[in-house]
Amino acid sequence: MVVTDTLNSGVHFPEQTAACDVGWKALAVNLSDLAAMGATPAWCTLALSLPQPDDVWLDACIDGFLALAAQHDIALVGGDTTRGPLSLTVTACGFVAAGTALHRDAAKVGDDIWVSGTLGDAALALREALQGRSCSDELRWRLDRPTPRCALGQSLAGIAHACIDISDGVLQDLGHVCDASGVGAEVRLDALPASDALVAHVADAGRWRLQSAGDDYELCFTADPMKRDALAVLSDSLDVRLTRIGSIVGGGGMRAFDADGIEVHLQSSGYEHFG
Amino acid sequence: MVVTDTLNSGVHFPEQTAACDVGWKALAVNLSDLAAMGATPAWCTLALSLPQPDDVWLDACIDGFLALAAQHDIALVGGDTTRGPLSLTVTACGFVAAGTALHRDAAKVGDDIWVSGTLGDAALALREALQGRSCSDELRWRLDRPTPRCALGQSLAGIAHACIDISDGVLQDLGHVCDASGVGAEVRLDALPASDALVAHVADAGRWRLQSAGDDYELCFTADPMKRDALAVLSDSLDVRLTRIGSIVGGGGMRAFDADGIEVHLQSSGYEHFG
């Protein structure tokens, strides 16, 4: 399994992001892609463009990168540093036992839809940063230092059907699963898991918009309802919150409902980049 | 063997470069790195940032990329397209039999220094382009469509000692070989191989500056003088010009001499990016 993802300054992270956080995040988004396939990280490369030579910035960036790499035992085997607008491209390779890789095209009608962790913290932190307001370290950490769900992804083989990482927003990425699998989805917006910090900041009604705005790097997966017990055990053993947010249905498209069961019109949401 | 290299618009190629040539070159510079290690290309990924969605540009770029990929039988196995200043990062993986990879730290005192092809065409084409002058298709091709020396690199195992690709300029890259090998080099600037087109454009005395300005993607390697016959056979069989330009000597540093044996002071030269 090979993945590659680019972070551009001002597009994928605020320009004032600390160098060590930029390095961390560049690897994290790629590990998250490997996690969504159930792959065990093996090695990676880093190509970095900087407007001008800056050893202090570069050292801090690499420190952040290697701190996360050490957590996941992934080797940095090559790199390139060159002049250009601030940008980082990581290519990461992981391994998965033959036939056990998770794919986005494997959702089945009747599956539960699950997400890991909580959604919306990163989007809230980004909103506050863009508006020049400070927010708690906890929230800011969720934006700058996402935690790729590698252990969860690797454990979902044999349990989950389809899996994807929520980098572009849960509704948009779940839409990719539906399109690839030829199925539809019904989601309860009030079921989207929220941190205490998010609940304290944002009123109930509009919370789902932040929670589907992207940059969360959690996993969204589908599984047969028979797997609920196995997932409860997994959640406990990995200490990762798993939340059921809806069901896979026949046909296509995505429908969302509020706490009263009233359908909510889904306008365009998700992270603002293309591709 | 894994390599990764980034091309940024306006830094590594003129902004008006055709999309198909940009795609070609992004792969070529990485294949050239694999060639310098004697590796056989296997697979690659492409991460591409574009200022705005542009399917016509993207299709042409991919066409150029795949045209070169087909020549070298390398598979494009993954990619990412995102928003940002125009930039392409390719990561390429190649294979080499255990113990036969070429390295830059293996030059030995007494070795001949060789380069493939001709040097300076790309730098001349770039100079003409930056000054708004047109040049022949042949010269422009050398800038926009470099030919990675994969077959040569793979054939140098067992013949060459050290090897590097000349992307930053022959003198700068040969300097990397000397530093890594703990040796020095003496180079005859008048021996640097020039195309007929370059000779027609540029007078003898200053030609070496263009010829060491970089972007040539030829190989520079060192080999025992006993290998001259083997290299002559290889040059014939691959139809690649090979030119002896100097010798590896003890100590360190690089010295250059003109046609009369007078030492030439080497000012900073090489391609204007860092890393």
Side-chain angles (χ1 to χ4, degrees), chain B residues 15-59:
Chain B
E15 287 170 12
Q16 70 273 29
T17 304
C20 59
D21 293 336
V22 171
W24 174 289
K25 190 166 181 175
L27 179 57
V29 303
N30 281 276
L31 289 178
S32 183
D33 282 332
L34 286 181
M37 299 190 286
T40 303
W43 55 258
C44 60
T45 61
L46 169 63
L48 199 154
S49 294
L50 271 177
Q52 59 273 325
D54 183 342
D55 283 346
V56 174
W57 195 96
L58 197 57
D59 286 349

Side-chain angles (χ1 to χ4, degrees), chain A residues 133-226:
Chain A
R133 289 197 294 265
S134 65
C135 64
S136 70
D137 288 349
E138 179 195 350
L139 278 175
R140 184 69 198 215
W141 199 255
R142 291 276 291 165
L143 174 65
D144 291 337
R145 296 240 162 181
T147 306
R149 298 297 189 185
C150 294
L152 175 62
Q154 293 163 42
S155 300
L156 287 175
I159 299 178
H161 286 149
C163 188
I164 196 167
D165 87 312
I166 315 177
S167 50
D168 293 336
V170 62
L171 299 177
Q172 188 168 319
D173 285 315
L174 183 55
H176 296 322
V177 168
C178 289
D179 291 346
S181 303
V183 297
E186 293 182 355
V187 173
R188 281 286 296 268
L189 296 179
D190 60 300
L192 297 177
S195 69
D196 293 343
L198 187 74
V199 170
H201 266 81
V202 187
D204 288 6
R207 195 183 299 148
W208 69 270
R209 292 186 187 280
L210 275 178
Q211 292 184 286
S212 55
D215 232 9
D216 281 315
Y217 304 100
E218 297 292 345
L219 297 183
C220 176
F221 58 94
T222 79
D224 191 290
M226 302 273 288

Side-chain angles (χ1 to χ4, degrees), chain B residues 166-176 189 192 206-215 254 256 265-273:
Chain B
I166 315 177
S167 50
D168 293 336
V170 62
L171 299 178
Q172 189 168 320
D173 285 315
L174 183 55
H176 296 323
L189 296 178
L192 296 178
R207 194 183 300 147
W208 69 270
R209 292 187 186 278
L210 275 177
Q211 291 184 286
S212 55
D215 232 9
M254 177 129 45
H265 178 61
L266 294 175
Q267 291 170 308
S268 158
S269 65
Y271 206 68
E272 186 219 336
H273 63 84

Side-chain angles (χ1 to χ4, degrees), chain A residues 234-257:
Chain A
L234 192 59
S235 172
D236 279 347
S237 66
L238 295 178
D239 195 22
V240 174
R241 182 169 166 179
L242 297 179
T243 306
R244 209 151 34 91
I245 63 166
S247 303
I248 296 295
V249 298
M254 177 130 43
R255 300 176 70 191
F257 301 89

Side-chain angles (χ1 to χ4, degrees), chain B residues 15 49 78 235 245 264:
Chain B
E15 287 170 12
S49 294
S235 171
I245 63 166
V264 177

